[in-house]
Amino acid sequence: MKKRAPATSKPQEFEGTEIHLEGKVLVCFISVEDQDTFDIKIISKQATDEILKGINLIEEFPQDIAEKNKEVEKFNTGLKRAQEKGFRQSDNPRKLKELILDPSEYKVDRILVYPWAHLSNYLSQEKVASEVCPVIAKMLEDKGLEAHFSPFGWYKAFTLDCLGHEVAEMYRNIPLALLSTEVRAKSKVYIVNNDKSVDFFCDSSEEGKKNAKIPKHYSKDFRDFIKAEVLSTREKGKQEPAHIKMMQKFELADFEDASDAGNLRWYTKGVLMKNLIRDYTEQTVVNNGAIYVDTPVMYTVKNKKLTAQTARFPAKTYWVHSGNNRFLLRFASDFLLFNMFSQMHIRSEQLPIRFYEYEQYAFRREQAGELAGLRRLRTFTMPDMHSLCKDVPQAVEEFKKQFLMSNEVLNSFGLKSFIVIRTTEEFWEKHKDWIIDIMASQNQPGLIELWPERYYYFILKYERPVLSAQGHTACLCTNQIDVESAQDVIEQYGEKRQKYNISWHSKDGETDHPIILHNSPSGAVERVIWGLLESNARYEKDKVSGFKTWLSPVQVRVMAITDKEAEIAEKIMEQLNAENIRCDYDDRDEKIGKKIRSAEVEWIPYTVVIGSQEVENNTVSVRKRLVGEPLVEGKTNEQINDIPLPKLIEIIKRDLKGYPHRTLPIPFRKFSTRINFR
């Protein structure tokens, strides 16, 4: 390679005019993008690791092929013996793999790290970007390899002879990743009991989990919860999750074959439920003092305080290209919300301030194998509240209030959930009394995970997971005490990292950085519906299935026994909808038994049957579904005969008191006009 002339106004300094490398040279073409220069040591280390993997792949390739050929020979020998005995006559022997070149050609003698701007349209414009190639070369040299770098900013002439074997050309995209330390591998798990006693369960090492024994006096649900949350990984099971067929059967949601995986389509009833969950959660947080905000769904990576947070999720980003710039679709509202906080003048007497945002949408490009219906998506909606607190004592008091609020929200959905609090050993020793108190207040055992030191931005994290029919868990509501994001800088891996620099000011001139609570009282809306469906499937033999009345897409179904009562039945449907009760009318020409069975299958909370007696008495007869109550001898409904319609309205409105209302669309009010999506 020869330097010809400068290609930029400030080419990289480089002694000599020529690099001449003989032997098997691995040429690594490097493009440094906008967010990579957040910390060139990190991105250079990641690139070095990938180069080392590439060298290993090349040099071990002949041996890998030889091992595979041994397996082929073993298969063919077994096949031949079987065929000689008259078996497996339709099977064919496998072919041995042959190397393109002699095995001695698969090696790397030297490495050249070469800046190649043409690999990307989003190159970093920072001067420090030119240092990436020299740093990579130095890191490779430190590993005992002969490595060179080509200078940036020069026109160069070079000649390459590519060997052309199977692994002679490779491409790697290396997203900037700020990985946490491995302190979680050393954490310890305890069980907090109803009587406030705390029992050690296990540490998080594989050996610790293997030897852990769950006491038999705990309920089956709690034992299953520990198995899923502590003793096993959160991977999707081989069996299809129960909620998938249920969400399709009830026409709530479905997969969209013309979009990216993990982006679902939603039908009318599903949209109704999503909106109701949003309305109730929003109503709850605003009644608890929150104010509304809304921030964009995309943000730049040319801002170091945003990149510092983004780079912790390197494999989960959707990119949007706009002209010569690119943006990330947010996977939480934190980024631009905190950017807004940093530009505010916050007075200490205003604290705590609670900011509520309905994240529609958030995007996380989960790995394909992690996607599981509504449980884990790539696009979701999240009611989210962030609270600025003056200091840790104020944050603790606010956390206690939000703990109760979040539990109220989940209970209102009709969800059974479990309690997990994760914190540092230091914070636990100072605050364990109130932590134990709030956990015991829920009259159920819970888990505490203790870390030897803080490994992320929070010192405490609260979660409410739900168990699926198959015994998997997923977290719904969460709250975190964030002591890092509001700082101006933090030290991480020996380097100073820019944070959001959010400050409050007092009348006497005092100033400091607030503590931030990250609270989603409900969790993602889609996951709430996952929890409702999975819980119903899990307890279908023990409890009456269904949704609470306020959350049911159709709250009442009216049906007539004969055509003579049809006009009255339709008028009752109209009256109930006028009372803000979602009601439909089964006007099909079917026997009453079939209509009742349809209402049963659809989990309709109230089924109103109109016959000649009801017309004569100006009353209604009602089957009230006993949602959530113990299932005894198959009984799912309570029969209420001959009551005035106003009395029924009064009963239903007791169910709906304090909850939001959404109107049932007109086409869905009669079976003859109802739209079917499947």
Side-chain angles (χ1 to χ4, degrees), residues 488-524:
D488 51 353
V489 293
I490 62 166
E491 189 166 313
Q492 185 182 48
Y493 312 124
E495 299 287 338
K496 289 192 180 298
R497 308 283 188 213
Q498 185 177 350
K499 298 304 289 184
Y500 288 92
N501 196 18
I502 304 164
S503 300
W504 55 259
H505 308 272
S506 69
K507 292 178 180 178
D508 59 8
E510 184 185 2
T511 184
D512 205 346
H513 303 289
I515 306 298
I516 305 176
L517 299 188
H518 302 237
N519 178 215
S520 178
S522 62

Side-chain angles (χ1 to χ4, degrees), residues 323-591:
N324 294 325
N325 293 309
R326 64 175 184 169
F327 300 85
L328 281 178
L329 292 180
R330 69 179 182 191
F331 36 84
S333 65
D334 305 22
F335 308 97
L336 296 184
L337 188 64
F338 292 178
N339 191 52
M340 180 180 75
F341 292 164
S342 71
Q343 298 168 19
M344 294 173 60
H345 182 79
I346 301 166
R347 302 194 308 274
S348 61
E349 61 269 23
Q350 296 174 312
L351 300 173
I353 310 175
R354 307 165 190 92
F355 299 84
Y356 168 77
E357 177 170 5
Y358 184 66
E359 295 175 14
Q360 185 170 316
Y361 288 97
F363 304 84
R364 297 185 188 179
R365 200 178 181 285
E366 305 284 4
Q367 298 302 305
E370 296 176 344
L371 299 174
L374 296 173
R375 177 173 174 263
R376 194 174 295 278
L377 296 161
R378 287 179 173 167
T379 303
F380 57 92
T381 50
M382 176 87 80
D384 213 357
M385 182 170 71
H386 291 83
S387 306
L388 300 183
C389 301
K390 183 177 180 180
D391 49 28
V392 170
Q394 188 180 78
V396 165
E397 291 308 308
E398 183 65 20
F399 179 92
K400 293 176 186 177
K401 295 174 185 176
Q402 293 183 15
F403 176 90
L404 297 175
M405 179 187 70
S406 297
N407 294 341
E408 175 192 338
V409 168
L410 291 191
N411 290 337
S412 295
F413 297 148
L415 280 168
K416 179 177 181 178
S417 58
F418 300 86
I419 305 171
V420 184
I421 288 184
R422 312 179 196 277
T423 187
T424 63
E425 293 174 355
E426 180 182 4
F427 193 83
W428 168 255
E429 286 304 318
K430 293 179 180 178
H431 300 273
K432 61 184 175 184
D433 289 344
W434 69 260
I435 294 174
I436 292 172
D437 283 346
I438 63 171
M439 293 182 72
S441 72
Q442 300 304 296
N443 296 315
Q444 65 181 99
L447 296 180
I448 288 282
E449 181 183 12
L450 298 184
W451 313 308
E453 58 188 38
R454 182 167 64 86
Y455 80 101
Y456 210 18
Y457 56 81
F458 46 77
I459 52 172
L460 182 143
K461 183 178 184 182
Y462 162 58
E463 300 174 352
R464 289 301 294 243
V466 169
L467 264 175
S468 74
Q470 297 169 13
H472 298 289
T473 59
C475 178
L476 294 185
C477 86
T478 182
N479 203 350
Q480 304 156 4
I481 301 179
D482 176 356
V483 295
E484 179 181 294
S485 297
Q487 302 295 313
D488 51 353
V489 293
I490 62 166
E491 189 166 313
Q492 185 182 48
Y493 312 124
E495 299 287 338
K496 289 192 180 298
R497 308 283 188 213
Q498 185 177 350
K499 298 304 289 184
Y500 288 92
N501 196 18
I502 304 164
S503 300
W504 55 259
H505 308 272
S506 69
K507 292 178 180 178
D508 59 8
E510 184 185 2
T511 184
D512 205 346
H513 303 289
I515 306 298
I516 305 176
L517 299 188
H518 302 237
N519 178 215
S520 178
S522 62
V525 171
E526 293 81 1
R527 192 171 280 183
V528 172
I529 296 175
W530 164 86
L532 291 167
L533 295 173
E534 287 287 343
S535 293
N536 274 292
R538 181 175 180 84
Y539 303 113
E540 63 180 349
K541 295 181 180 178
D542 305 313
K543 298 179 181 179
V544 179
S545 300
F547 306 121
K548 286 201 168 187
T549 306
W550 74 272
L551 199 47
S552 296
V554 176
Q555 296 164 329
V556 183
R557 176 158 299 159
V558 180
M559 56 189 66
I561 294 178
T562 70
D563 289 345
K564 295 178 182 179
E565 299 87 33
E567 185 177 347
I568 298 290
E570 186 168 349
K571 285 183 179 178
I572 290 173
M573 176 270 289
E574 291 170 351
Q575 284 180 267
L576 290 172
N577 278 293
E579 291 284 345
N580 287 335
I581 296 170
R582 290 187 296 278
C583 178
D584 68 7
Y585 167 42
D586 189 342
D587 58 350
R588 294 176 297 169
D589 184 18
E590 299 286 357
K591 293 186 181 299

Side-chain angles (χ1 to χ4, degrees), residues 248-265:
Q248 294 168 333
K249 181 185 79 170
F250 290 125
E251 292 197 352
L252 303 178
D254 210 340
F255 300 107
E256 176 54 73
D257 57 5
S259 183
D260 189 19
N263 290 260
L264 302 191
R265 64 166 71 126

Side-chain angles (χ1 to χ4, degrees), residues 250 252 268-270 272-273 276 546-559 573 576-577 580-586 598-599 602-608 625 627 652 656 661-665 667-671 674:
F250 290 125
L252 303 178
T268 302
K269 292 179 182 178
L272 259 175
M273 292 185 72
L276 286 163
F547 306 121
K548 286 201 168 187
T549 306
W550 74 272
L551 199 47
S552 296
V554 176
Q555 296 164 329
V556 183
R557 176 158 299 159
V558 180
M559 56 189 66
M573 176 270 289
L576 290 172
N577 278 293
N580 287 335
I581 296 170
R582 290 187 296 278
C583 178
D584 68 7
Y585 167 42
D586 189 342
S598 292
E602 292 184 45
W603 300 347
I604 305 298
Y606 291 88
T607 301
V608 175
R625 190 168 182 83
V627 174
I652 295 171
L656 305 181
H661 169 72
R662 287 275 177 154
T663 300
L664 185 67
F668 280 81
R669 297 181 188 180
K670 290 169 41 174
F671 265 60
R674 189 166 75 172

